[in-house]
Amino acid sequence: MNGLLDGILLVFNFQTLLVIFIAAIFGVFVGAIPGLSATMAVALLVPITFAMEPTAAIAAIITTAAMAIFAGDIPGTYLSIPGTPASAAYVGDSAALGRLGRAREALGLNVTCSMIGGLVGTLVLVMIAPSLAEFALNFSSYEYFWLAILGLGSAVFISQGSAVKGFLSLMVGLLLATVGLDLVTGAPRFTFDIPDLMGGINFIPVMIGFFAMFEVMKHYAQRQTSDERARRTLAPQSGSVFGKVPMHLKRYWKNVLRGSTLGALIGALPGAGADIAAWIAYAVSKKRSKTPEAYGTGHVEGLVDASSANNSAVAGAWVPALVFGIPGDSITAIVIGVLYMKGMNPGPTIFMDNSAMAYGLFTAFFVANLILLPVGYLAIRGAHLFAVTPTRILMPIILCFCIVGAFAINNSLTDVWIMLACGIAAYLIASADFPIAPAILGLVLGNILESNFMTSMIKSDGNLLAFVERPISACLGGLVLLILLFPWIAKLWRKRYRAAQHPTKEAIE
């Protein structure tokens, strides 16, 4: 109880609440610009958090992420261009409502469902994380090794697109994680006689390069983008923001609960995040709907499910990040780096060593989602300004933030070069339709994987069977094997299903 009260007091003070409010405005601004993701907003924010107290820093990241996920709906509704990847799942319905002059109605419903989804996800985080952390106290290096493998495997098979491309992207991240001194021998690896690389590649410049610098390069690579042309033809809008929200919530309250629950569960999977949660929730909604043919034509049912799921997934992704130190998505990958810099090691002991901070984090989640309504309302009323802001003005400012942010971490030009190199690498990877998220998770989990593997090998004197001798580690190993075999199992199941449906055809073949 003392930890809960201390955590509440850490958030409800003037400095932290001011930081939350400013972060909310920043998150809305970045999320409402087409093509700029919530992860990029968080990556740009990290250098600023160095001067903050730990609670204020984490609260700023939470608020920025939550607001940016919602704000991505603004250009999707007005311009048919999703502001963030999490808004892409239902952009067809949002844009159709915008063309009908119902943009404010759609955005009012989006921000309300986002708030409810975020609160449900936070409740799941509060209920599951402490209990799971108590269970995780029984984990040894063997279990953490399998958890790292599980996170890496999930990142490959859950990410959209080809699993092979996801695996290759993952290898890029693992390669970056090997730079520095060997954990056992102390020998330098891939340092090229550069002293700044002896301690490994700094996490934050990579984040800034992969997300912020990448967006800048992508913008300048496209000469006349469709969003710049679309800005000139905005449909006139009418109606209130929250006028029809009670009616929609009364009709689709089951969809809100389903989307929020589904989003929290999907967000807790390593490598999934809000983007995949929104797509899955929208697909489930369409499949269970009585009017699936209306989806994509301005139907609000899909909006309710997906917009509840994406913000719920933001909170759900913190479950593995806090309990195991394994990121649930790219945003919590950045958060783990911030926690380490603030002297707070994520893992099961965080609820014992920093209980006040943990409860402060939960409180910050509640505050960040509750502030969605007032700040979101102001953003919706002024959405026209966001939609017409030219990116040619924003991109040079973002580029300056990238360079200054990368340099300010260690006052080192090496970090700036790392940031630039990672931006180029991310652009090349994305140009070939390779997902970037597995590379980020590979960088974060690479050190966890290597350190726990080497520790386990030393403890077991090189006996590989020790990795499956403990009941929990054997179960985790079996789960990893199941994930690896899942594509073949699914393929076999589909083949047998088709054979059952068309036995004569299959027999002929």
Side-chain angles (χ1 to χ4, degrees):
M1 183 61 70
N2 291 333
L4 175 60
L5 292 175
D6 291 341
I8 293 174
L9 291 175
L10 284 175
V11 175
F12 283 95
N13 59 73
F14 177 77
Q15 179 185 359
T16 306
L17 291 176
L18 180 62
V19 166
I20 289 175
F21 180 72
I22 296 173
I25 296 174
F26 174 71
V28 165
F29 185 76
V30 175
I33 303 302
L36 307 187
S37 64
T39 310
M40 174 190 165
V42 172
L44 286 175
L45 190 67
V46 168
I48 304 173
T49 62
F50 292 162
M52 297 182 187
E53 293 293 326
T55 306
I58 299 300
I61 292 175
I62 293 170
T63 308
T64 299
M67 293 303 303
I69 292 292
F70 153 69
D73 297 337
I74 294 175
T77 305
Y78 277 98
L79 306 174
S80 190
I81 303 164
T84 61
S87 305
Y90 48 95
V91 68
D93 288 295
S94 296
L97 289 170
R99 288 191 294 269
L100 294 172
R102 298 168 60 190
R104 291 175 184 170
E105 175 190 339
L107 291 172
L109 184 62
N110 283 342
V111 71
T112 306
C113 292
S114 295
M115 182 200 70
I116 296 173
L119 292 175
V120 171
T122 303
L123 288 174
V124 171
L125 173 64
V126 172
M127 290 187 294
I128 292 179
S131 303
L132 195 60
E134 187 175 348
F135 173 71
L137 290 173
N138 300 316
F139 283 22
S140 66
S141 59
Y142 302 109
E143 284 79 13
Y144 276 104
F145 167 77
W146 285 118
L147 278 174
I149 293 290
L150 182 64
L152 295 173
S154 299
V156 171
F157 291 108
I158 293 177
S159 61
Q160 299 176 12
S162 168
V164 175
K165 290 185 176 181
F167 176 76
L168 293 175
S169 177
L170 178 67
M171 290 298 104
V172 173
L174 290 174
L175 176 64
L176 293 176
T178 60
V179 176
L181 298 179
D182 185 273
L183 296 176
V184 177
T185 64
R189 301 181 302 193
F190 307 115
T191 58
F192 304 102
D193 295 327
I194 300 174
D196 288 341
L197 294 181
M198 290 292 183
I201 291 181
N202 198 300
F203 182 71
I204 303 305
V206 176
M207 288 288 106
I208 297 174
F210 271 173
F211 292 106
M213 190 65 196
F214 161 65
E215 295 293 345
V216 174
M217 295 183 65
K218 186 171 70 172
H219 168 74
Y220 284 111
Q222 301 168 346
R223 295 191 177 273
Q224 177 70 8
T225 57
S226 58
D227 60 318
E228 292 291 345
R229 293 192 295 269
R231 290 174 197 276
R232 305 192 188 106
T233 57
L234 297 177
Q237 303 296 324
S238 61
S240 63
V241 175
F242 297 119
K244 295 185 178 180
V245 168
M247 177 188 71
H248 291 312
L249 292 181
K250 183 178 179 180
R251 184 177 180 183
Y252 299 118
W253 64 271
K254 291 182 180 179
N255 299 69
V256 177
L257 293 179
R258 182 176 63 200
S260 301
T261 306
L262 193 62
L265 296 177
I266 293 172
L269 296 174
D275 310 351
I276 294 175
W279 280 104
I280 293 177
Y282 187 83
V284 170
S285 177
K286 186 176 181 179
K287 187 174 183 180
R288 300 294 298 272
S289 175
K290 296 179 181 179
T291 56
E293 68 281 355
Y295 281 63
T297 63
H299 193 42
V300 300
E301 189 175 1
L303 295 183
V304 171
D305 274 276
S307 57
S308 300
N310 56 17
N311 268 61
S312 180
V314 172
W318 283 69
V319 174
L322 280 181
V323 177
F324 304 115
I326 293 176
D329 60 1
S330 51
I331 292 175
T332 48
I334 300 174
V335 170
I336 288 174
V338 174
L339 288 174
Y340 278 121
M341 286 188 295
K342 296 296 183 181
M344 300 169 52
N345 297 335
T349 58
I350 193 172
F351 295 96
M352 295 184 298
D353 299 339
N354 296 283
S355 60
M357 177 61 199
Y359 285 110
L361 186 148
F362 296 154
T363 307
F365 259 109
F366 282 112
V367 174
N369 284 287
L370 289 173
I371 205 175
L372 261 173
L373 276 187
V375 177
Y377 173 79
L378 295 176
I380 293 169
R381 297 296 299 182
H384 209 84
L385 297 176
F386 292 114
V388 298
T389 303
T391 50
R392 67 177 181 273
I393 296 176
L394 294 173
M395 287 304 170
I397 299 173
I398 293 172
L399 178 60
C400 292
F401 271 116
C402 292
I403 296 173
V404 173
F407 179 79
I409 298 166
N410 294 315
N411 293 330
S412 170
L413 279 176
T414 302
D415 288 338
V416 177
W417 289 113
I418 290 173
M419 182 270 296
L420 292 172
C422 288
I424 295 171
Y427 178 77
L428 295 176
I429 289 173
S431 298
D433 293 327
F434 282 76
I436 297 178
I440 300 301
L441 292 176
L443 174 62
V444 175
L445 295 178
N447 290 327
I448 298 174
L449 177 70
E450 183 182 8
S451 62
N452 284 289
F453 176 76
M454 297 304 298
T455 301
S456 301
M457 291 296 287
I458 292 171
K459 287 195 301 185
S460 65
D461 198 21
N463 180 19
L464 291 175
L465 292 177
F467 284 89
V468 292
E469 287 178 349
R470 293 164 58 93
I472 299 176
S473 63
C475 291
L476 290 172
L479 186 58
V480 169
L481 184 63
L482 182 64
I483 289 178
L484 293 176
L485 295 177
F486 178 76
W488 289 275
I489 295 173
K491 184 178 180 181
L492 181 63
W493 184 86
R494 286 194 298 267
K495 185 177 180 181
R496 290 193 174 186
Y497 178 78
R498 287 196 299 267
Q501 294 293 319
H502 308 284
T504 305
K505 183 180 178 181
E506 292 293 327
I508 294 174
E509 292 177 352

